[in-house]
Amino acid sequence: MTEIHGSCDERFTAVKKVFQENLENGTDVGASVALYLDGEPVINLWGGHFDADRTRPWERQTLTNVFSSSKTVAVLCALVLADRGELDLGAPVARYWPEFAQSGKEDVLVEHLLAHSAGLPAWDEKVSFEDVYDWEKSTSLLAGQTPRWKPGSASGYHGYTQGHLIGEVIRRITGVTIGRFLDEEIAGPLGADFHFGLEREQHHRISPVIPPPRIAGGIDMAHPMAQALNNPPIFETGHKVAWTPEWREAELPAFGGQGNAESIAALQSVLANGGEARGVRLLSEATCDSVFRTRTDGLDLILQFPVRWGLGFALPTEAFPLSPNPRAGFWGGAGGSGCVVDLDARMAFSYVPNRMVDEGAVTNDRCMTLLATVYGSLAS
């Protein structure tokens, strides 16, 4: 039997069983799963192996690149500033970032950035990874772009750009990078081991993601999402660019966060619990509630399937029920990781593996099976 570690409330024995089966049958190589209820941990499990060769165990302190699950943390940073009155989500982005008011973007609102409706789903100019690591260059390029559609009229998943857009607004307000803001104002107080940019001496803790079997040759590169997500050209690297020290050190708040299930669930437990968790209050109940109000609802112009977006989270629909509760949201990362915040259930859930699969964030069977088991356990 594969040994797993951590703690699990007896109500969720079925979740522990599914998690263990995934490790034993090879669905997962190394992974972690966590659940917080009412701001407190009730599941924190990890197990399997750090690497594809299975030479090291996955440990509690193991981190891995969670790709777009990072976005849920970037959004949380913006919400904290909004709750403090330093950021108005209904204000034009240019109020905080004057150079942004170029090329027809004077009416783009901050909430459009969080809801993927700003019309800036990718860099228009061809960029390299080095360009994206260069914060000044990459944000200046976005400031100069023209929206691809009328901002606020529709969503179009901002796969890489959302984090740079939110991060630059935060930098203009606070004078510090989003990575430092996260460390000092949110992750530090909550004791959450999640990072936008990790110093090189800590890279030994990062489990290298195991790339999916289907790389560029099996992807329809004419699809709007493939085009957006291949600038910079990640498919050509098989996602192994995430193994490089330059990637790990760069602040990439939409797709380069380093964490695990415990750290993501610990962070999002604040939002799930009405703004306070484990004695730390960062948000008001009203701010938490606002996350789950519909901003756009319809065909996402980049993903090319219907999505009902709140602030940074996809909300339940008939086609994607997600949760029995209306005030719930989900997002995840390429190949596997996922995060669910359910304000009605006071629940924050996260799953983070190191083995990527071909399915995307919304159709990740491993995460959805674990989530369904969580809800089944809550109902029983």
Side-chain angles (χ1 to χ4, degrees), residues 5-352:
H5 306 274
S7 59
C8 182
D9 187 285
E10 63 182 11
R11 291 174 292 170
F12 300 99
T13 301
V15 179
K16 183 177 181 179
K17 181 181 178 182
V18 172
F19 181 67
Q20 184 156 16
E21 288 174 349
N22 284 347
L23 289 166
E24 290 182 345
N25 64 26
T27 299
D28 279 322
V29 174
S32 56
V33 62
L35 177 71
Y36 280 60
L37 288 176
D38 300 314
E40 298 293 337
V42 294
I43 299 175
N44 182 29
L45 298 172
W46 62 91
H49 293 88
F50 185 93
D51 55 344
D53 294 332
R54 292 174 165 82
T55 59
R56 290 177 56 184
W58 181 293
E59 299 176 336
R60 183 176 185 177
Q61 292 76 27
T62 297
L63 309 173
T64 197
N65 197 99
V66 301
F67 292 104
S68 287
S69 291
S70 307
K71 292 180 175 66
T72 67
V73 178
V75 167
L76 181 64
C77 292
L79 294 174
V80 168
L81 271 185
D83 205 76
R84 293 177 181 177
E86 297 179 53
L87 173 61
D88 181 350
L89 299 180
V93 173
R95 175 185 296 181
Y96 310 102
W97 180 3
E99 299 91 332
F100 190 81
Q102 304 176 53
S103 307
K105 298 195 301 303
E106 58 275 1
D107 295 327
V108 176
L109 307 181
V110 176
E111 70 172 35
H112 295 156
L113 307 183
L114 276 63
H116 297 277
S117 64
L120 304 168
W123 283 276
D124 288 344
E125 181 177 313
K126 194 69 176 174
V127 294
S128 66
F129 291 107
E130 290 72 24
D131 292 332
V132 175
Y133 303 155
D134 183 335
W135 189 267
E136 291 291 343
K137 179 174 183 177
S138 53
T139 55
S140 295
L141 287 173
L142 291 171
Q145 287 186 197
T146 300
R148 297 187 186 182
W149 60 84
K150 181 182 178 182
S153 65
S155 71
Y157 184 51
H158 289 43
Y160 290 158
T161 57
Q162 189 194 49
H164 281 68
L165 293 164
I166 293 172
E168 182 62 7
V169 171
I170 289 172
R171 189 178 76 88
R172 295 298 179 112
I173 294 170
T174 66
V176 301
T177 67
I178 188 172
R180 181 175 169 186
F181 181 82
L182 170 66
D183 287 347
E184 295 180 353
E185 304 293 336
I186 304 176
L190 291 171
D193 191 8
F194 190 96
H195 309 273
F196 293 141
L198 190 65
E199 59 272 17
R200 196 164 297 200
E201 359 3 324
Q202 293 294 318
H203 289 189
H204 66 278
R205 297 198 291 133
I206 301 176
S207 168
V209 291
I210 302 167
R214 185 186 67 184
I215 312 298
I219 296 172
D220 177 8
M221 294 307 295
H223 192 288
M225 184 167 68
Q227 292 182 354
L229 294 184
N230 204 41
N231 185 30
I234 197 165
F235 296 129
E236 282 84 337
T237 77
H239 293 81
K240 290 182 181 179
V241 66
W243 297 3
T244 64
E246 292 79 14
W247 173 291
R248 292 170 173 178
E249 289 175 332
E251 294 193 16
L252 306 171
F255 55 96
Q258 309 288 347
N260 51 37
E262 179 183 12
S263 61
I264 294 175
L267 290 169
Q268 298 301 344
S269 66
V270 169
L271 176 57
N273 199 42
E276 184 273 336
R278 302 176 301 287
V280 178
R281 175 162 288 280
L282 295 174
L283 301 169
S284 65
E285 183 85 34
T287 296
C288 296
D289 182 72
S290 72
V291 171
F292 306 99
R293 293 204 300 268
T294 303
R295 266 48 185 203
T296 63
D297 188 1
L299 180 71
D300 186 285
L301 300 178
I302 298 299
L303 297 174
Q304 290 293 294
F305 54 77
V307 184
R308 185 166 71 96
W309 284 107
L311 293 178
F313 289 86
L315 308 180
T317 63
E318 186 174 333
F320 183 53
L322 176 66
S323 166
N325 302 314
R327 294 190 302 171
F330 167 80
W331 203 244
S337 66
C339 170
V340 175
V341 175
D342 189 326
L343 184 57
D344 291 321
R346 290 304 207 243
M347 179 187 102
F349 165 86
S350 183
Y351 159 76
V352 172

